[in-house]
Amino acid sequence: EISACLVGSEMCIRDRIKLNEIGAFLWEKLSEDIEEEKLVEAVTEAYDIDSATARKDIRSFTETLEKNGILER
């Protein structure tokens, strides 16, 4: 279990990473063990973003979490 806390409109994970609204949305979805394509669909439905940009941003986000030892895929 990863410790996460909500501070105002930001979420903090292990005191290492602060997440904005979309980052917190992705974090919640990742806790559901969701596949990348479903995650892309969820982001494009919730936010005004195209699927190519969403996919690129999701990959960047998950790579950052993996590099910090927060996410294992």
Side-chain angles (χ1 to χ4, degrees):
E1 175 115 352
I2 302 294
S3 63
C5 63
L6 191 60
V7 179
S9 63
E10 293 183 333
M11 181 178 278
C12 299
I13 301 173
R14 284 191 183 162
D15 298 326
R16 291 190 209 175
I17 296 178
K18 289 185 181 179
L19 305 178
N20 62 15
E21 180 183 343
I22 296 175
F25 177 85
L26 291 173
W27 177 254
E28 290 295 321
K29 292 294 182 184
L30 287 168
S31 71
E32 299 169 9
D33 196 32
I34 189 171
E35 294 179 14
E36 183 180 284
E37 198 53 42
K38 294 289 184 188
L39 190 54
V40 170
E41 288 175 22
V43 169
T44 58
E45 288 175 10
Y47 299 94
D48 185 25
I49 187 171
D50 63 88
S51 60
T53 302
R55 188 172 286 104
K56 180 180 74 71
D57 291 350
I58 290 165
R59 287 183 181 158
S60 174
F61 178 73
T62 56
E63 287 171 6
T64 298
L65 293 179
E66 288 170 349
K67 278 193 250 178
N68 285 279
I70 296 170
L71 179 68
E72 294 178 11
R73 298 286 255 154

